[in-house]
Amino acid sequence: MTDFPWLTLAIALPALGALAVALLPRERIETAKRATLGVTVATLLVVAAMAAQFAPGGERLQFTEVYPWIPRFGVNYAVGVDGIALVLILMSVVLVPLVVLAAWRENDDAPDGGKGYFALILALEAMMIGVFAATDVFLFYVFFEAMLIPVYFMIGRYGRGDERRAAAIKFLLYSLLGGLLMLAALIGVYVYGDTFLWSELVGDSGALAGIDPTAARWLFLGFFVAFAVKAPMWPVHTWLPTAAGSSRPGTAVLLVGVLDKVGTYGMLRYCLEMFPGAATWFIWPVVVLSLVSIVYGAILAIAQSDMMRLIAYTSVSHFGFITLGVFVMTSQGQSGAALYMVNHGFATGALFLVVGFLVARQGSTAIADYRGVQTKAPVLAGMFLVSGLAGLALPGLSPFVSEFLVFIGTYAFHPVPAIIASIGVVLAALYILWMYQRTMTGPLPESMARLRDLSRRETLAVAPLVALLIVFGVYPQPLLDVINPAVEATMESVGATDPAPAVGHAEAGGGHGEGTSGGHEGEHE
């Protein structure tokens, strides 16, 4: 059934569900919650059925659909997935129903009882699937920008604290600025390529093959800055801690766990493959920015007194690892980066949810307001520990595999960035273990005497993520089998090759292999 419109169905289900939930009467909030959960589970089943038919060794893009949308300007409704897009869509549809479960009572104090919040979740899910599935660059841009609308209201209307509206506006302004730069670059792509179809723009015979090198670099920058804001990457990261700190935990999971991956996915899919020569020219500046993000994000995470903001800053550091893996132009680095996107979504999602359950009990996100939680809530503390250890890439948990691959790929590119990046690993152990020690250990204060452990619903929301962290930590091969062919195709499209082993270079009297793609000088910029 590969000709069946799986992706369109996966996008339409939550989109129609959002409309149905929004039209329900205000007093039907329980019906709205059940309907939202039912639609997200149905979407998960549809995507799982599609994924079961994906052939890793088959065509690069599968389940493709192309229909004219605005023929006069060459715009099509075009969707399809390769291995990287598929695993990111799977990650998204796994996280959304768990967020719905976790947020079941999260917005009971809202004027509408949270009905609008659940409608926004469904609308956002449709757009998340669409942005990863789009194979028309204009369609990608539409989904990329449309995602801002539900997130803005999820933060500004349903967020926490007095600063939530300011946080929502800051998120919107940063994202719109990046989006405007992408729009300008998108116009340039059409001027030079006369098409928006991604498959017709990339490769040696693609529409952008003969583009002027200077023009290619400017177009690359337009896309890259937009993706760097979304990722977020230093120095355009400052909206994330503010937005995450003012969000409900469920919103933070989708914001950091899924939406930010659009930025790193866009770098891998669009920056590298549409402008391979320009991407090669910018390798070292991006590597330096990635290293700054890794160390700077980790240091600021250590300094935080607010748990939500701490987790947000850890993500700045983690996204530095992802962008580093993307731009070292090695197969191990890019496979690790793609796998890191998935593993980070599960690990950070679990950590945000557990912290959210803790905050719901005590009403504070301040680390100083907690102590001795493990004595009264051992299940909550255990989930917190596993999620935190995944965040510091403990061997046996899935983020370790992806981080290890990034390190291997980076070292093959050049040893110095790999050594500097290792500082982030040391700092990660410090900010995670110190947060756990301050909140979970020690004597229980009287103010927390009535603290209760996770309920059955809350456990059901977090347990699948913890299970996935363990399963893919022990056996990541199913994900890598899907990701690796897409990475190989990306490397071929960019004209990059893995450096020769260092031993071989030594025997030949050469250097250590600082280059990553011996044939880049003759690129088709």
Side-chain angles (χ1 to χ4, degrees), residues 68-81:
W69 180 18
I70 312 175
R72 183 177 179 181
F73 298 104
V75 178
N76 297 276
Y77 171 82
V79 292
V81 292

Side-chain angles (χ1 to χ4, degrees), residues 20-343:
V21 170
L23 293 176
L24 283 172
R26 182 173 298 184
E27 60 273 12
R28 302 288 298 277
I29 180 61
E30 290 301 318
T31 302
K33 293 175 181 178
R34 294 189 183 96
T36 302
L37 182 60
V39 170
T40 58
V41 171
T43 305
L44 172 58
L45 294 175
V46 167
V47 173
M50 177 187 73
Q53 301 174 60
F54 184 81
E59 294 290 329
R60 169 80 186 273
L61 293 176
Q62 300 180 34
F63 311 109
T64 54
E65 305 171 48
V66 181
Y67 307 104
W69 180 18
I70 312 175
R72 183 177 179 181
F73 298 104
V75 178
N76 297 276
Y77 171 82
V79 292
V81 292
D82 64 358
I84 298 171
L86 179 63
V87 295
L88 290 173
I89 291 174
L90 278 168
M91 176 198 69
S92 305
V93 298
V94 167
L95 284 174
V96 174
L98 301 179
V99 166
V100 172
L101 273 177
W104 204 263
R105 300 296 177 193
E106 201 172 68
N107 290 282
D108 285 352
D109 57 345
D112 62 353
K115 181 175 72 72
Y117 183 78
F118 290 101
L120 291 170
I121 287 178
L122 288 173
L124 183 58
E125 181 177 31
M127 295 170 191
M128 291 188 303
I129 297 171
V131 79
F132 291 127
T135 56
D136 180 283
V137 188
F138 188 88
L139 180 65
F140 171 85
Y141 173 78
V142 170
F143 281 122
F144 183 87
E145 291 290 84
M147 289 191 302
L148 304 181
I149 300 171
V151 176
Y152 172 81
F153 287 107
M154 290 169 77
I155 298 172
R157 179 177 172 83
Y158 297 99
R160 298 180 305 102
D162 297 332
E163 297 182 358
R164 64 181 185 273
R165 291 181 177 84
I169 291 172
K170 186 175 183 179
F171 159 77
L172 189 65
L173 290 177
Y174 269 73
S175 300
L176 285 176
L177 175 61
L180 287 174
L181 292 174
M182 188 196 293
L183 179 60
L186 191 66
I187 294 171
V189 166
Y190 186 72
V191 169
Y192 283 98
D194 199 34
T195 181
F196 286 116
L197 284 174
W198 176 83
S199 58
E200 296 179 2
L201 291 168
V202 302
D204 292 334
S205 59
L208 294 178
I211 189 172
D212 176 72
T214 302
R217 290 166 190 167
W218 282 110
L219 296 180
F220 170 92
L221 279 176
F223 279 90
F224 178 80
V225 173
F227 295 144
V229 171
K230 184 74 76 176
M233 192 176 188
W234 184 88
V236 288
H237 67 285
T238 57
W239 64 268
L240 178 62
T242 306
S246 300
S247 297
R248 300 285 185 177
T251 304
V253 170
L254 297 179
L255 182 64
V256 180
V258 181
L259 265 71
D260 290 354
K261 305 303 188 305
V262 176
T264 47
Y265 170 77
M267 293 178 189
L268 189 57
R269 170 59 57 84
Y270 296 99
C271 288
L272 262 61
E273 297 206 53
M274 291 200 305
F275 316 108
T280 305
W281 197 80
F282 280 104
I283 282 179
W284 274 105
V286 177
V287 166
V288 171
L289 288 175
S290 300
L291 295 174
V292 173
S293 294
I294 291 170
V295 178
Y296 177 82
I299 291 173
L300 285 188
I302 294 171
Q304 296 307 303
S305 59
D306 182 287
M307 287 186 285
M308 297 289 284
R309 291 178 65 88
L310 188 153
I311 301 171
Y313 274 114
T314 68
S315 295
V316 174
S317 183
H318 290 312
F319 278 103
F321 280 107
I322 297 173
T323 54
L324 181 64
V326 169
F327 277 89
V328 294
M329 301 289 189
T330 60
S331 58
Q332 298 98 331
Q334 292 188 356
S335 291
L339 187 62
Y340 211 133
M341 295 184 217
V342 178
N343 292 333

